[in-house]
Amino acid sequence: MIKKKTIGNACKHIFLMTISLVCVFPFYWMIVGMTNSSSDIIQGKLTFGTKLIENVKNAFSYSNLFRAFGNSLFLALVVTFLGLLICSIAGYAFVIFPSRGKEILFMALIASMMVPFAAKIIPMFRMFANLGLLNNYLAIILPAIGTPFLIFFFKQNTYAFPKDTLEAARVDGLNEYQIFFRIYMPMMKSTYAAAGIFMFMASWNNYMWPLIALQSEKKFTLPLAVSNLASGFTPDYGMTMVGIVLSTLPTLVVFFTLQKAFVEGMVGSVK
């Protein structure tokens, strides 16, 4: 009996170690690749090389990665802040102030999630062109701050919010704005952390719409700049790996910093 249990635990550990190696290998390959030449990467070299400084110089001389990094960071922070505020207010309102009209609106929001982004590109392009917002950061920010998925996410988590707390706050004389900002937001911080990670990563990695909406290279985001590194007839994979690693670091920092809150938020905990 003990042997069977030991063998079972060993098999579980081996399986988990194998899955972990499969998940970690792309990151290892990126880091190794940025230290090797393009020919070494094509040949599949998996050990560290001596071309790191050369690849970094080539990457930053070929494309203004610092400006692109700043553009992406600015857009990600603005989209995350505004998106969390708007989506949480919407999710809160759908639960606390229910009505038949709001349920119909909510069903329309859920239905909009089923429309592929490719079907919305031309209408969005024509709309922002008519508004004169092409090649403007507002064209990137406005479509991203009202995400139906996050409205749904906040709505479902708001069901776990204690209604007795709301009634006690109203008895104490707080209005709905004070209740939301002073009570709801602090108590739902885990939900905000989970939604914030999702929104930051989605904004940071956004590629297709910025590629269409931004025409000036000075306004390019980091994914567009990294794409330019690999757009040559004979791309230099070494300097491309430098851009990929640079674009990966912020999302890793955000996720591991808020990892505990992310897990709590995904299971809908309220403290």
Side-chain angles (χ1 to χ4, degrees):
M1 185 70 179
I2 297 177
K3 290 184 178 180
K4 288 184 178 180
K5 186 176 181 180
T6 303
I7 294 173
N9 289 334
C11 292
K12 290 179 182 178
H13 282 84
I14 293 173
F15 174 76
L16 293 175
M17 289 174 64
T18 303
I19 297 299
S20 299
L21 289 174
V22 171
C23 294
V24 171
F25 177 77
F27 296 99
Y28 170 79
W29 186 72
M30 285 191 306
I31 295 173
V32 169
M34 67 186 293
T35 66
N36 288 312
S37 64
S38 185
S39 59
D40 290 333
I41 296 173
I42 293 174
Q43 293 173 9
K45 183 180 178 181
L46 295 178
T47 56
F48 289 95
T50 59
K51 301 291 185 179
L52 175 61
I53 297 177
E54 180 181 341
N55 288 335
V56 172
K57 288 181 178 179
N58 291 338
F60 281 90
S61 62
Y62 187 86
S63 180
N64 196 339
L65 294 180
F66 280 125
R67 180 187 291 273
F69 184 91
N71 294 340
S72 286
L73 185 61
F74 169 75
L75 286 172
L77 292 177
V78 171
V79 167
T80 301
F81 175 77
L82 294 178
L84 289 179
L85 180 63
I86 292 173
C87 293
S88 61
I89 290 175
Y92 175 84
F94 274 121
V95 175
I96 304 302
F97 310 108
S99 68
R100 178 176 296 181
K102 289 180 180 178
E103 290 303 318
I104 296 174
L105 176 60
F106 181 73
M107 294 304 296
L109 285 173
I110 296 301
S112 69
M113 296 172 59
M114 304 176 188
V115 180
F117 180 73
K120 298 184 287 185
I121 290 178
I122 295 177
M124 286 174 61
F125 182 85
R126 294 189 62 181
M127 179 178 68
F128 283 105
N130 292 333
L131 293 173
L133 293 179
L134 288 181
N135 201 33
N136 190 306
Y137 287 146
L138 286 176
I140 309 300
I141 295 171
L142 292 178
I145 58 177
T147 308
F149 171 75
L150 286 186
I151 295 175
F152 170 78
F153 180 71
F154 275 105
K155 180 177 183 289
Q156 295 305 114
N157 279 273
T158 302
Y159 283 121
F161 188 77
K163 302 301 185 295
D164 294 341
T165 304
L166 288 176
E167 297 301 326
R170 287 168 181 160
V171 170
D172 289 340
L174 296 181
N175 58 40
E176 295 301 330
Y177 295 103
Q178 292 172 325
I179 292 173
F180 181 82
F181 288 105
R182 295 185 183 182
I183 298 176
Y184 178 83
M185 291 181 73
M187 292 184 67
M188 301 291 287
K189 60 183 180 180
S190 297
T191 302
Y192 276 93
I197 291 175
F198 174 84
M199 182 155 277
F200 182 89
M201 289 185 173
S203 176
W204 184 268
N205 295 320
N206 192 9
Y207 174 77
M208 182 59 69
W209 178 238
L211 177 65
I212 296 171
L214 300 177
Q215 285 99 32
S216 173
E217 190 171 349
K218 292 182 179 180
K219 295 186 177 182
F220 276 8
T221 58
L222 195 55
L224 300 183
V226 173
S227 177
N228 285 343
L229 293 177
S231 62
F233 185 74
T234 54
D236 187 330
Y237 295 110
M239 70 176 186
T240 302
M241 291 299 172
V242 173
I244 293 173
V245 171
L246 180 64
S247 65
T248 304
L249 289 177
T251 55
L252 290 177
V253 171
V254 169
F255 179 79
F256 285 115
T257 301
L258 302 175
Q259 183 179 14
K260 183 178 179 181
F262 174 78
V263 174
E264 293 176 354
M266 292 304 294
V267 297
S269 69
V270 178
K271 294 185 178 179

